[in-house]
Amino acid sequence: MSQRPFALDPLFRAVTGLPGIGPRNGKLLENLISGPKILDLLFHAPVDFIDRRFSCPIAHAPNGKIMTTEVTIERHFPNARKSLPYRVKASDESGAISLVFFHAKKPWLEKLLPIGERVIISGKVEYFQGQPQMMHPDIAKPSARDTLETVEAIYPLTAGITNKVLRKAQQSALSFIPALPEWVDDAHKNREGWNDWHIALKSLHEPQSEQELDPMHKNRMRLAYDELLANQLTLALVRDRQRKINGRIFEQSTTLREKIEHVLPFNLTGAQKRSLYEIDHDMGQPGRMLRLLQGDVGSGKTIVAAMAMMNAVENGAQAALMAPTEILARQHGESLKPWLDAAGVRFVTLTGRDKGKSRELILKQIRDGVAQIIIGTHAIFQADVDYHDLGLAVIDEQHRFGVHQRLELSNKSKGTDILVMTATPIPRTLALTAYGDLEISKLDEKPPGRKPIETMLFSKEKMDQVVAGLTRKIAEGTRVYWVCPLVEESEVMDLAAAEERYDILKAHFGERIGLVHGRMKATDKDDVMEKFARGDLDILVATTVIEVGVNVPEATIMVIEHAERFGLSQLHQLRGRVGRGSEQSYCFLIYSAPLGEVAKERLSIMRETEDGFVIAEKDLELRGSGDILGTKQSGATDFKIANLAAHGDLLAAARDDAKLIISRDPTLESERGDALKTLLYLFERDQAIKYFRGG
Ligand code: ADP
Ligand code: MG
């Protein structure tokens, strides 16, 4: 059995246990570096550094400058009161400086700084009443001058972990770095002037200049490339496997499509036609279709999916449409029903709610091929669901799936064409890292007749105005979404905030208000949402669970609290819940003042445009990479070193490299192939390696 190379073992040891890291701060550290391993720590890159190499006579010490110099200890001035500092006078040939200590114990200082002794001090020089002083300087014996006269890397920190603690652990972690076989192509490496992996990684933590902090510095580029190559290689591999599975040829549907067109109250947009043309082309090829249909909320993906499914059905095969939630599955059913009825196509819906007899019946219809179209949640791909002949699977993923799930699905549905629909407009670079070399169709044109959503910003102080406005609108019959603050990494706090808002609004608006959140049972959640959709509720207070695409055309107001805490793409998704009917819609973004520059810029973009592609590109630009796909957990985009805004070119190179590797050495047997396996293990793409093993 293939196994992680032993050379990597030290990197996979726990950070807890490194010098200065115990069980308690170990947890904090793990959170900070997003992982428990020494490797995670090593990928935690410094963002700044302090240059302690500067030295000069005390008399010339510049104010505010960090310096390191040798002095003689003259005299101690213990603190008269506890609240006052303990001072120690020290001097060199040019002058004297006062060393200042708060909360320091006398015996400790006397031992550390004996009178008459020469010591090295290092710290920031400040002037107090015209005299130079240094607060809590670092101190060393003259023989150890070079331990202070260094460049000190500054890391992103968290409460409970100081830079000193982090650096100490990091210093120790550095000693665990093994030399690994080179996985980067020699010619490429030489052309870029890249260092070996272990040298690049060590240097990352020893910045000597501003340039070395730059994402474009060669050491950071190399490490980013490694990460992107692991990502692209994994995806290329999956893609390769899927390509090798034979697809089938579906002639383009004419009869069924015409019947649907007959009852369609609109004409397809240019973008819809183009996407459909691309899908038809893929489905008409013997290879297997693997296509991503990207389009903003409301861009009209459903009809495209329906038309694609007709290709399979008209050729005698079945088609399935999978939605991420029960309610969405049912909504798809409702949207498709008139079209399928017109075409005379039989369909069933299957969700986790179908139990016992009714489930048995549905399963039988799927098995016998009586059901030509199957709509449902992931329940439709469970082990006990046998298809008569599944020709096309459409996955409305709403960015819920990661690479991992796609691997599983591709195992389950051999030879089936796959169309993935996503409502998240994804910048090209991100699409590449999440989907690899997948074909993409874009619905970049909205159906005609949509009124633009009016987006307004309110500071939290103006909440009264918002509530007054809502009161008026609700009296006119409007329905309102109210999305509550997102609190990073804390579902409990999300919930508390949402419940509090719910109570406040209830006190004001009365009973016709509902609350949904991520901790509710799916069925309860769906019940509340359905009440809102039916019009039994005026206001739906929610955490971000409504992000997935419920369709309530009568809802025309979206209120988002603490808008500054959301990603732009997330705001865009949320806003897309309104503006679906013919009425004028509004989006109120409520923020907590004061806003930083970037936050201001981000929120004003929301006011300026409704184009999801523009917003996604901006988001990427402003945030680096961030969580645009909402798939952080899936490992699709949470890079440690790579920064997609800066490393787009590297990504393209990694993609080409991965393609070449797969075409030349698909099972990674060569010497470089072996090194590449190490790379995949390094980034924990074990899943991918299993595939390589299988050949
Ligand atoms: P998405 O799934 O992309 O968010 P939908 O497929 O639900 O969007 O479409 C949103 C709405 O737009 C639906 O009511 C749909 O019937 C309508 N629609 C779709 N295509 C067109 C079109 N070409 N012209 C007018 N309306 C359209
Ligand atoms: Mg949809």
Side-chain angles (χ1 to χ4, degrees):
M1 208 176 82
S2 171
Q3 225 184 17
R4 189 171 73 211
F6 291 127
L8 296 182
D9 284 354
L11 299 172
F12 280 75
R13 272 190 225 154
V15 284
T16 301
L18 286 175
I21 306 298
R24 251 175 83 214
N25 60 1
K27 278 273 164 285
L28 299 173
L29 183 60
E30 284 180 17
N31 269 336
L32 176 66
I33 63 179
S34 322
K37 316 181 294 294
I38 285 181
L39 185 62
D40 299 316
L41 180 60
L42 288 167
F43 282 146
H44 190 64
V47 286
D48 204 351
F49 63 85
I50 296 174
D51 192 345
R52 295 186 177 281
R53 290 172 300 187
F54 177 77
S55 189
C56 78
I58 283 170
H60 307 299
N63 189 19
K65 179 101 181 162
I66 289 168
M67 63 180 280
T68 301
T69 191
E70 186 169 336
V71 293
T72 307
I73 301 302
E74 302 273 346
R75 212 178 139 181
H76 281 237
F77 299 91
N79 38 354
R81 263 180 289 129
K82 251 202 159 151
S83 56
L84 294 175
Y86 190 119
R87 290 175 176 272
V88 176
K89 186 182 167 199
S91 66
D92 65 7
E93 295 69 33
S94 73
I97 187 166
S98 183
L99 311 180
V100 182
F101 300 88
F102 284 91
H103 309 294
K105 294 252 164 23
K106 188 161 181 263
W108 179 72
L109 280 174
E110 282 173 347
K111 187 145 178 273
L112 184 69
L113 302 168
I115 290 167
E117 199 98 336
R118 291 181 76 78
V119 297
I120 308 295
I121 57 169
S122 179
K124 193 200 270 183
V125 181
E126 284 158 317
Y127 283 78
F128 180 66
Q129 295 174 346
Q131 298 303 311
Q133 63 173 33
M134 201 181 271
M135 235 186 288
H136 294 268
D138 288 324
I139 288 158
K141 295 216 159 65
S143 58
R145 180 174 187 132
D146 53 343
T147 63
L148 289 188
E149 216 169 20
T150 57
V151 179
E152 188 178 317
I154 304 291
Y155 292 92
L157 299 172
T158 181
I161 305 271
T162 62
N163 202 57
K164 205 166 177 177
V165 166
L166 189 70
R167 256 178 41 105
K168 194 165 159 197
Q170 199 66 271
Q171 284 303 319
S172 165
L174 288 177
S175 67
F176 286 89
I177 301 178
L180 297 174
E182 185 55 77
W183 48 75
V184 177
D185 173 62
D186 276 342
H188 186 192
K189 187 179 172 195
N190 291 336
R191 202 166 53 240
E192 300 287 346
W194 284 344
N195 285 313
D196 286 349
W197 178 78
H198 67 278
I199 294 172
L201 188 54
K202 275 209 174 80
S203 314
L204 180 69
H205 298 283
E206 292 157 357
Q208 307 286 319
S209 65
E210 284 294 328
Q211 289 95 304
E212 289 181 55
L213 299 172
D214 192 295
M216 302 315 274
H217 185 264
K218 66 176 180 177
N219 284 328
R220 290 198 180 218
M221 294 262 277
R222 167 173 187 152
L223 296 171
Y225 187 75
D226 294 339
E227 195 169 24
L228 294 168
L229 182 59
N231 165 272
Q232 289 299 299
L233 194 54
T234 307
L235 291 165
L237 174 66
V238 174
R239 186 83 177 94
D240 182 58
R241 303 262 311 178
Q242 283 165 338
R243 272 214 191 94
K244 283 182 182 152
I245 300 170
N246 276 336
R248 45 207 280 199
I249 296 177
F250 291 121
E251 302 286 341
Q252 188 186 321
S253 155
T254 47
T255 319
L256 295 177
R257 277 193 188 169
E258 260 170 35
K259 288 183 180 166
I260 293 181
E261 272 160 16
H262 207 69
V263 297
L264 264 193
F266 50 75
N267 294 317
L268 296 186
T269 62
Q272 284 170 322
K273 282 186 192 152
R274 179 166 30 80
S275 299
L276 210 47
Y277 174 83
E278 289 160 354
I279 291 167
D280 290 345
H281 172 266
D282 286 4
M283 292 185 78
Q285 301 289 315
R288 187 178 184 202
M289 174 167 80
L290 242 195
R291 182 170 282 279
L292 180 68
L293 178 62
Q294 258 189 33
D296 246 332
V297 164
S299 60
K301 293 185 288 297
T302 318
I303 184 66
V304 175
M307 293 302 205
M309 292 196 283
M310 289 311 114
N311 285 345
V313 174
E314 198 160 316
N315 284 273
Q318 292 168 299
L321 171 59
M322 178 169 93
T325 64
E326 299 251 356
I327 188 164
L328 283 171
R330 254 171 297 131
Q331 270 193 359
H332 275 311
E334 284 161 26
S335 323
L336 291 174
K337 189 173 186 327
W339 305 334
L340 299 183
D341 284 350
V345 171
R346 296 177 304 270
F347 74 101
V348 292
T349 54
L350 176 67
T351 72
R353 279 203 200 172
D354 296 297
K355 301 251 156 63
K357 274 254 148 47
S358 87
R359 182 178 158 85
E360 279 310 311
L361 184 66
I362 295 169
L363 291 187
K364 186 172 181 316
Q365 290 174 328
I366 298 175
R367 201 165 46 237
D368 298 343
V370 171
Q372 295 166 290
I373 285 187
I374 297 91
I375 301 167
T377 55
H378 61 278
I380 66 174
F381 290 127
Q382 268 160 14
D384 62 337
V385 184
D386 289 327
Y387 287 84
H388 180 68
D389 178 20
L390 183 62
L392 168 68
V394 181
I395 301 162
D396 190 359
E397 75 167 12
Q398 307 282 0
H399 66 234
R400 283 239 174 151
F401 299 88
V403 176
H404 185 69
Q405 284 90 337
R406 254 190 309 280
L407 280 169
E408 280 173 6
L409 180 66
S410 64
N411 277 349
K412 212 157 262 175
S413 49
K414 292 219 157 42
T416 302
D417 282 338
I418 294 186
L419 179 67
V420 179
M421 303 198 292
T422 169
T424 319
I426 307 168
R428 221 186 89 74
T429 46
L430 267 190
L432 262 180
T433 59
Y435 300 99
D437 214 6
L438 202 72
E439 265 76 46
I440 298 180
S441 293
K442 275 189 188 178
L443 292 182
D444 47 11
E445 176 188 354
K446 284 226 158 123
R450 296 274 161 80
K451 284 206 183 106
I453 300 167
E454 204 170 308
T455 299
M456 290 179 257
L457 307 185
F458 291 92
S459 84
K460 210 167 175 178
E461 283 69 49
K462 304 261 171 70
M463 186 81 92
D464 287 351
Q465 282 183 24
V466 174
V467 169
L470 293 191
T471 311
R472 260 195 325 273
K473 281 288 180 185
I474 287 172
E476 294 168 10
T478 283
R479 268 170 256 169
V480 178
Y481 290 107
W482 188 299
V483 178
C484 281
L486 177 84
V487 181
E488 200 91 23
E489 281 149 28
S490 167
E491 217 181 319
V492 182
M493 285 176 57
D494 276 2
L495 182 52
E499 276 171 341
E500 192 187 332
R501 179 58 59 203
Y502 172 72
D503 289 339
I504 293 172
L505 292 173
K506 198 163 179 173
H508 184 91
F509 290 100
E511 289 302 312
R512 288 172 54 84
I513 168 168
L515 171 67
V516 285
H517 55 76
R519 292 218 158 174
M520 281 163 92
K521 275 207 312 219
T523 49
D524 294 343
K525 205 157 59 186
D526 286 359
D527 285 345
V528 179
M529 292 224 209
E530 238 165 42
K531 273 192 190 158
F532 182 66
R534 270 204 310 268
D536 295 347
L537 300 172
D538 296 326
I539 304 179
L540 184 67
V541 178
T543 56
T544 43
V545 292
I546 59 159
E547 207 177 324
V548 287
V550 268
N551 190 22
V552 183
E554 298 84 357
T556 58
I557 299 183
M558 167 64 65
V559 183
I560 304 174
E561 259 189 80
H562 275 298
E564 77 280 3
R565 292 186 189 168
F566 290 88
L568 275 191
S569 296
Q570 230 177 343
L571 288 177
H572 176 66
Q573 290 281 310
L574 288 168
R575 179 170 62 182
R577 299 302 113 210
V578 298
R580 306 192 135 203
S582 50
E583 295 294 307
Q584 173 64 49
S585 289
Y586 302 88
C587 176
F588 300 148
L589 301 177
I590 302 179
Y591 62 87
S592 287
L595 282 183
E597 277 309 309
V598 175
K600 231 180 254 167
E601 196 180 334
R602 293 176 57 220
L603 290 185
S604 47
I605 289 163
M606 291 305 295
R607 215 170 31 186
E608 286 156 18
T609 180
E610 261 188 77
D611 184 329
F613 290 98
V614 172
I615 290 175
E617 293 289 352
K618 270 284 179 196
D619 204 8
L620 183 64
E621 199 180 294
L622 288 174
R623 288 200 302 168
S625 107
D627 192 20
I628 291 179
L629 291 169
T631 46
K632 261 208 146 106
Q633 314 82 323
S634 73
T637 56
D638 51 341
F639 293 114
K640 302 262 181 190
I641 303 278
N643 168 341
L644 293 180
H647 297 141
D649 291 346
L650 279 185
L651 178 63
R655 182 201 50 194
D656 294 345
D657 200 0
K659 258 191 187 164
L660 201 65
I661 292 164
I662 297 280
S663 72
R664 284 191 184 158
D665 182 15
T667 50
L668 301 187
E669 298 299 326
S670 66
E671 195 183 329
R672 184 176 178 214
D674 216 46
L676 284 162
K677 274 187 204 155
T678 303
L679 172 71
L680 291 175
Y681 275 114
L682 190 68
F683 286 99
E684 295 179 83
R685 306 285 184 172
D686 302 28
Q687 174 102 0
I689 293 170
K690 273 190 227 138
Y691 281 85
F692 279 119
R693 229 190 298 146

